[in-house]
Amino acid sequence: MMDMSVASPAWCPHPLHSQRPPKSRTHSLASPVPSARSESSGLRLQKSGSVGFISGLPDIMRTSEVRRKRGLRKTADMCSVLACFDPDGVLSEGREELMRGLSARMRTRGPDGSGYHGNERFGLAHERLAIMDPEGGKQPIVYKSDGYSVCANGEIYNFRELQDKYDLTAPKTGSDSEVLLQLYRYKGAEFVKELNGIFGFVCVSGDGADMIAARDHCGIKPLYIGYGEGGSTWFASELKAICDQCKSIEEFPAGHYWTPKTGFVKYYEPEWDSDEFVSDQVGDQFTCSIYHLFALVMS
C-alpha cells in the first residue's frame, strides 16, 4: 500500500511573522474587511451571485480610505508561485538558493511563510498567505509516495465536489490546492477542464519529467512564462521574480494550460467566446437599440 502522507518540504515561517505586534482595537478600521476566500464563500458566490460582496462594498471602501489616509499599504491577500522546468539539469547546482532568493522578491504577496521543493530537473518555490488549513497546508505540497508536488495561487471552489466525484484518496491537508495534485495524478492534464475557481499553479511528477502549469479561465490570477538558459522554462506570479533569469517573458494566456510535450493548450472554449456568436435575435435587438438612440440624439 502506497504511502500517501504529505512530505514536509523545506518550509519555514518568515522571520518577522512571529514578531508581529498584536492588533490594537483602536486600529480596527485599518484592518481589511475579510473577503471571500474559503470554499463556502466560493459556493455562495456561485449560487447567489455577488450580492454579499456588493452589500459589503461600503465597508470595504471605507476601510480602504482609512488605510490610505493613514499611509498604510493594503495587506497582501494572495500567494505567489515560482517554478523552473530544467529538463537537462543545466541550473541544478545551487537551484534552491537561487529560487528562494527569486521567490523572496514576491514576499509581499505571501507574508506567512516560504517553501521549496525540487530535484535536478525542476524547482518549486512558494510564498504563502495562510488561509485554508494554516498549519497543514504549507506549500509546495508533496506526496512522499511518488514525489508528485504542487504549488498554487488562488482558490478552487469545487475541490470537495471533485474529490467526491472521483472518489479520490482522502486528502492529507485541508488545502483546496491539494485537489490539483490528486487530479493530476489521477487524470493527467485534462483535469483542468473541470476546475471552478481562480488560479495560477504548477504541478510536477515525482521525477520532474512531466509538468503542468495552468491559469484560470479569465486570467483573474496572474501568471507569467519565461524562457531561460539551457532550455529552461520559468513560471512566476510576478515579472520581477524572473526578469533577470529569462531571455524572453510573456503573459501566460488565460484559459490555457502548458506541458513540456504539448506546449500551450486552450482548455476553456465557451461557445459564446467568438466574434461570430451573435444570434439573429440579439443582432436585431442591437440594431433597434442603435436606431432608437440615433432618433433620440437627432430629436
Side-chain angles (χ1 to χ4, degrees):
M1 184 172 182
M2 291 195 303
D3 177 10
M4 290 298 294
S5 58
V6 177
S8 296
W11 186 94
C12 60
H14 291 155
L16 297 180
H17 181 59
S18 60
Q19 302 173 17
R20 293 179 183 171
K23 293 183 179 179
S24 171
R25 291 185 179 180
T26 59
H27 292 82
S28 59
L29 289 179
S31 301
V33 176
S35 56
R37 296 293 304 176
S38 67
E39 173 204 3
S40 58
S41 299
L43 290 174
R44 183 170 65 252
L45 287 175
Q46 292 176 56
K47 295 178 180 177
S48 306
S50 46
V51 174
F53 176 76
I54 293 174
S55 64
L57 277 178
D59 288 336
I60 294 173
M61 294 175 68
R62 179 170 59 88
T63 299
S64 299
E65 181 64 14
V66 170
R67 294 185 66 82
R68 185 187 67 77
K69 289 181 178 179
R70 294 180 179 178
L72 299 172
R73 296 180 61 186
K74 184 178 183 297
T75 304
D77 58 357
M78 63 205 87
C79 301
S80 70
V81 300
L82 175 66
C84 176
F85 178 66
D86 180 21
D88 298 325
V90 175
L91 305 176
S92 59
E93 186 175 351
R95 177 182 287 125
E96 179 174 352
E97 181 180 0
L98 170 65
M99 292 191 65
R100 283 188 178 275
L102 297 175
S103 185
R105 299 175 183 179
M106 302 184 286
R107 189 154 290 172
T108 52
R109 298 178 65 89
D112 294 327
S114 300
Y116 176 85
H117 174 69
N119 64 18
E120 67 280 359
R121 288 180 171 175
F122 77 94
L124 297 177
H126 191 262
E127 303 298 320
R128 187 180 186 223
L129 178 69
I131 295 175
M132 298 291 284
D133 191 2
E135 294 301 320
K138 302 176 180 65
Q139 294 196 36
I141 299 173
V142 185
Y143 278 162
K144 288 182 179 180
S145 59
D146 51 19
Y148 273 69
S149 54
V150 63
C151 65
N153 170 36
E155 298 176 74
I156 309 301
Y157 300 141
N158 62 336
F159 74 102
R160 295 204 187 280
E161 295 173 20
L162 292 171
Q163 287 169 339
D164 292 341
K165 177 179 178 180
Y166 292 105
D167 194 24
L168 299 174
T169 305
K172 302 303 177 182
T173 75
S175 172
D176 54 315
S177 297
E178 187 177 351
V179 76
L180 303 173
L181 192 55
Q182 293 176 302
L183 288 172
Y184 184 46
R185 297 169 71 252
Y186 183 78
K187 292 194 65 177
E190 290 298 299
F191 80 88
V192 182
K193 296 179 179 179
E194 299 199 47
L195 299 179
N196 179 4
I198 52 177
F199 50 81
F201 68 82
V202 178
C203 289
V204 191
S205 63
D207 58 4
D210 294 319
M211 172 185 284
I212 180 174
R215 191 179 183 193
D216 63 72
H217 313 74
C218 298
I220 303 299
K221 288 299 180 180
L223 191 64
Y224 295 90
I225 181 172
Y227 307 96
E229 179 184 349
S232 60
T233 305
W234 292 78
F235 305 89
S237 295
E238 295 187 19
L239 283 169
K240 64 186 178 185
I242 56 175
C243 60
D244 54 356
Q245 301 298 314
C246 302
K247 301 174 183 177
S248 64
I249 302 174
E250 59 191 49
E251 185 177 6
F252 198 103
H256 286 67
Y257 69 78
W258 176 96
T259 72
K261 296 178 181 178
T262 64
F264 286 114
V265 175
K266 187 174 183 180
Y267 69 85
Y268 184 54
E269 297 185 282
E271 184 180 5
W272 49 261
D273 189 18
S274 169
D275 294 337
E276 300 177 358
F277 186 73
V278 179
S279 67
D280 292 339
Q281 183 179 1
V282 173
D284 291 342
Q285 291 175 348
F286 179 75
T287 302
C288 289
S289 299
I290 293 296
Y291 283 143
H292 285 304
L293 179 60
F294 183 75
L296 288 173
V297 171
M298 297 301 292
S299 61

